[in-house]
Amino acid sequence: SLEIMLSNASILRKAATTAIRRSMATEAAHKPPLNLYGLNARYANATYIAASKSNTLDQVESELLAIKNSATTSKAFSSFLENPLISRDDKTKNVEDMLKGKTSSVTLNLMTVLAGNARLSSVVGITDTFIQLMKAKRGEVEATIISAEPLNKTMTAAVQDAMKSQFPTGAKVVLKSEVDPSILGGLQIQIGDKFLDLSVGSRIEEVGRTAV
């Protein structure tokens, strides 16, 4: 009857709406934590989503870091990635031979897609972008302190305390120290994309410009 047909149609609409909402919620749960753009980001974002859905984010991060390490330390592997004379099919087969059964399916899929698209030479940049997404997921904030001489533990702790107000509550600060004698003294501090120059060298330059 008409009533039964209308009732069935209503049930179908509700079921479809529920399915769509669940799908949207699932997609939102696996969405990368940063809006990054460009070629490297396109592959990194897709890899992040796939790894999140398969609950292998940490594993994929470790695997990509290992691949990046090989690409930067092994001349043979680096040459294979960048050699345009090796056909796409041969590169894909070589990648499968190297990684199949040794890595997650997400990492294998990324590398075979890159091989098929002649983009294997971009794997280091894609890895760096993926790591950027993972750090954002963990709430990590990178800070680099550049000094003319190595900082001892007391000085490092003092700088950390002074910088606490610069970070959002609950942020996990990953602090790195670098030495650059050319700054003469004082400090240069890099927090994300913000740069603070408190070096003696910058003050001397400022005095020089003022004198002129």
Side-chain angles (χ1 to χ4, degrees), residues 3 36 53-54 62 82 93 104 111 123 141 172 174:
E3 287 184 1
L36 302 177
K53 287 181 177 179
S54 60
S62 297
E82 297 178 8
K93 185 178 183 306
S104 63
M111 293 298 288
V123 70
V141 179
K172 300 173 186 175
V174 180

Side-chain angles (χ1 to χ4, degrees), residues 127-191:
T127 297
D128 288 341
T129 305
F130 185 85
I131 300 305
Q132 194 177 345
L133 294 175
M134 290 296 292
K135 285 179 177 177
K137 175 183 177 293
R138 290 189 288 261
E140 293 180 3
V141 179
E142 278 195 356
T144 303
I145 301 172
I146 304 168
S147 56
E149 296 180 354
L151 299 179
N152 59 36
K153 289 183 179 179
T154 303
M155 294 170 69
T156 301
V159 172
Q160 278 182 307
D161 287 340
M163 290 170 62
K164 278 182 180 177
S165 62
Q166 302 296 318
F167 301 106
T169 304
K172 300 173 186 175
V173 182
V174 180
L175 192 63
K176 296 192 297 182
S177 297
E178 295 180 6
V179 176
D180 181 1
S182 70
I183 70 173
L184 302 180
L187 298 171
Q188 290 179 337
I189 302 171
Q190 180 93 35
I191 304 173

Side-chain angles (χ1 to χ4, degrees), residues 59-127:
Q59 181 183 350
V60 171
E61 181 182 24
S62 297
E63 290 168 353
L64 290 181
L65 281 171
I67 290 170
K68 175 186 174 180
N69 183 59
S70 296
T72 52
T73 59
S74 168
K75 288 185 178 180
F77 187 56
S78 176
S79 176
F80 164 72
L81 295 176
E82 297 178 8
N83 191 342
L85 300 179
I86 303 175
S87 72
R88 298 185 185 194
D89 288 344
D90 285 344
K91 280 196 173 184
T92 300
K93 185 178 183 306
N94 285 334
V95 164
E96 288 177 344
D97 290 343
M98 279 189 286
L99 303 180
K100 201 164 189 178
K102 299 174 185 175
T103 67
S104 63
S105 59
V106 175
T107 298
L108 176 62
N109 183 61
L110 169 64
M111 293 298 288
T112 53
V113 168
L114 290 177
N117 292 343
R119 295 288 184 186
L120 278 176
S121 59
S122 300
V123 70
V124 171
I126 292 167
T127 297

